[in-house]
Amino acid sequence: MENKHVELTGKILSLKKTRGAVILAHNYQLGEVQDIADFVGDSLGLSQNAAKTDAEVIVFCGVHFMAETASILCPDKIVLLPDINAGCPMADMVTADKLRERKKELSNATVVCYVNSSAEVKAESDICCTSANALKVIESLDANEILFVPDQYLGNYISTKTNKKMILWPGYCPTHARILPQEITRLKQEYPKAKIIVHPECRPEVIALADEALSTSGMIKFAQKTEAKEIVVGTEIGIIYRLKKENPGKEFIPASEQAVCPNMKRITLEKILWSLEEMSPEVKVPEEIRLKAKLAVDKMLEIGRAD
Ligand code: 13P
Ligand code: SF4
């Protein structure tokens, strides 16, 4: 570890104790941020951890919708997002106003929102899902027509696995859209024995070339279990740090070096320390929205994970 990191890590860990804080980090976070976290996981794992922690303060190392989900679940805790500008462009592709308009046109549809969405959008939805349980959530519903927001690629992937009618919102993740099928085809030739795992936010043509489409924590589990020694990973490249750390005997090849989420990379050790010093920036969902959004998030948590 770099000297600068050692010093910052020491200060963060000591202040964390004083504040009674827990540090939660997404699998895409910088390596040095993952290393200081109490828990590193995918969106579902992070929500489950936020729901059960008894810490008074949650330092959320991820993007805004993730911190909002923690605030929805833990209204009495202080939820800090070390860089308030760490957003998710895909989450911003659906607004509550636009969703209300669409719901009027589709009055029979049940609204399923990907957790990558604002609290206002969750408040307008019947149930939430993540990449770890989207199909399980949809199959659990007593409804045949689903309006799925905002990720058209995850929605399309689920539509290939269910008989329900899926109406897709035209959102997508700009980071995953950078992973192209030509790159997967080239890597298959270069590493003929490799297993190909991709995130369901990838383009359908990319998913079609993969062995598995998995959530980020699904990928972590897959890497531990597989006999394969080479694994091509089609998602944000921050996950490679954890995959290598936990599986030193295996080789992980990013499907694209371009798959970097600039928002995830906004969280640094310096900003984590500042946020604990200042107890800011705080993410707090207004109570009226929180109560409605919580219904959708709680229903998802009851279903749990599928991968
Ligand atoms: P996971 O829930 O699979 O970690 O994915 C979150 C995300 O933002 C993917 O881009
Ligand atoms: Fe949003 Fe994509 Fe970044 Fe995930 S990787 S937080 S979906 S922009």
Side-chain angles (χ1 to χ4, degrees):
M1 204 193 276
E2 284 176 38
N3 275 349
K4 189 180 84 170
H5 290 168
V6 175
E7 199 187 319
L8 283 166
T9 298
K11 287 184 182 167
I12 291 168
L13 296 181
S14 118
L15 191 52
K16 188 186 87 155
K17 260 198 207 142
T18 319
R19 300 285 195 218
V22 68
I23 301 181
L24 305 182
H26 187 264
N27 288 319
Y28 296 159
Q29 289 289 294
L30 294 169
E32 62 269 23
V33 172
Q34 296 189 28
D35 284 344
I36 55 141
D38 296 288
F39 174 79
V40 184
D42 66 354
S43 309
L44 184 62
L46 291 166
S47 305
Q48 287 167 331
N49 262 269
K52 70 174 191 220
T53 183
D54 46 24
E56 284 158 35
V57 178
I58 299 174
V59 182
F60 214 110
C61 302
V63 292
H64 194 268
F65 75 82
M66 297 177 176
E68 267 193 342
T69 307
S71 168
I72 289 167
L73 291 165
C74 318
D76 301 330
K77 298 188 194 303
I78 296 173
V79 180
L80 301 173
L81 180 62
D83 185 327
I84 202 67
N85 293 315
C88 169
M90 169 160 68
D92 295 339
M93 289 178 192
V94 57
T95 62
D97 279 349
K98 288 265 178 296
L99 178 54
R100 276 190 286 269
E101 274 173 35
R102 194 77 178 108
K103 277 167 64 175
K104 275 188 208 147
E105 293 162 7
L106 297 166
S107 51
N108 288 329
T110 295
V111 181
V112 179
C113 76
Y114 190 26
V115 75
N116 297 42
S117 54
S118 67
E120 287 90 341
V121 164
K122 290 183 176 75
E124 287 294 329
S125 302
D126 295 295
I127 187 165
C128 243
C129 73
T130 77
S131 58
N133 62 13
L135 180 61
K136 199 173 172 191
V137 163
I138 283 164
E139 292 296 9
S140 78
L141 297 171
D142 192 16
N144 278 319
E145 194 175 285
I146 310 292
L147 171 59
F148 189 81
V149 299
D151 186 7
Q152 62 179 304
Y153 294 149
L154 173 62
N156 178 72
Y157 174 63
I158 301 304
S159 75
T160 65
K161 312 226 162 244
T162 180
N163 290 326
K164 296 186 195 277
K165 181 179 175 197
M166 301 275 294
I167 302 153
L168 308 179
W169 197 269
Y172 66 97
C173 163
T175 297
H176 285 83
R178 294 204 186 111
I179 302 171
L180 300 175
Q182 311 77 288
E183 297 184 76
I184 307 279
T185 308
R186 185 182 61 75
L187 289 167
K188 276 189 165 196
Q189 280 160 0
E190 200 178 330
Y191 299 93
K193 292 197 183 130
K195 285 280 180 200
I196 318 277
I197 54 175
V198 302
H199 197 276
E201 285 177 19
C202 289
R203 298 165 185 271
E205 314 87 77
V206 167
I207 297 180
L209 292 168
D211 293 298
E212 302 270 352
L214 298 165
S215 71
T216 59
S217 288
M219 290 181 177
I220 301 287
K221 281 190 218 155
F222 178 93
Q224 282 157 357
K225 277 198 282 183
T226 183
E227 302 275 297
K229 289 278 176 264
E230 293 167 337
I231 300 138
V232 171
V233 183
T235 193
E236 210 276 346
I237 59 170
I239 198 171
I240 303 281
Y241 175 82
R242 179 167 174 198
L243 288 168
K244 282 187 176 162
K245 188 172 157 183
E246 293 182 2
N247 306 277
K250 293 178 183 169
E251 187 181 356
F252 297 95
I253 304 117
S256 168
E257 295 284 354
Q258 310 299 315
V260 179
C261 175
N263 286 285
M264 285 282 179
K265 303 303 183 249
R266 281 178 180 269
I267 311 297
T268 60
L269 291 180
E270 281 90 346
K271 290 181 193 166
I272 294 171
L273 180 59
W274 293 336
S275 72
L276 277 166
E277 281 170 353
E278 307 287 328
M279 292 301 278
S280 140
E282 188 181 353
V283 172
K284 192 147 189 70
V285 176
E287 194 59 7
E288 199 192 320
I289 293 166
R290 188 188 78 80
L291 289 172
K292 285 195 209 149
K294 189 168 185 296
L295 297 175
V297 175
D298 279 346
K299 281 190 209 154
M300 167 184 84
L301 290 178
E302 264 167 45
I303 287 173
R305 60 181 322 127
D307 71 1

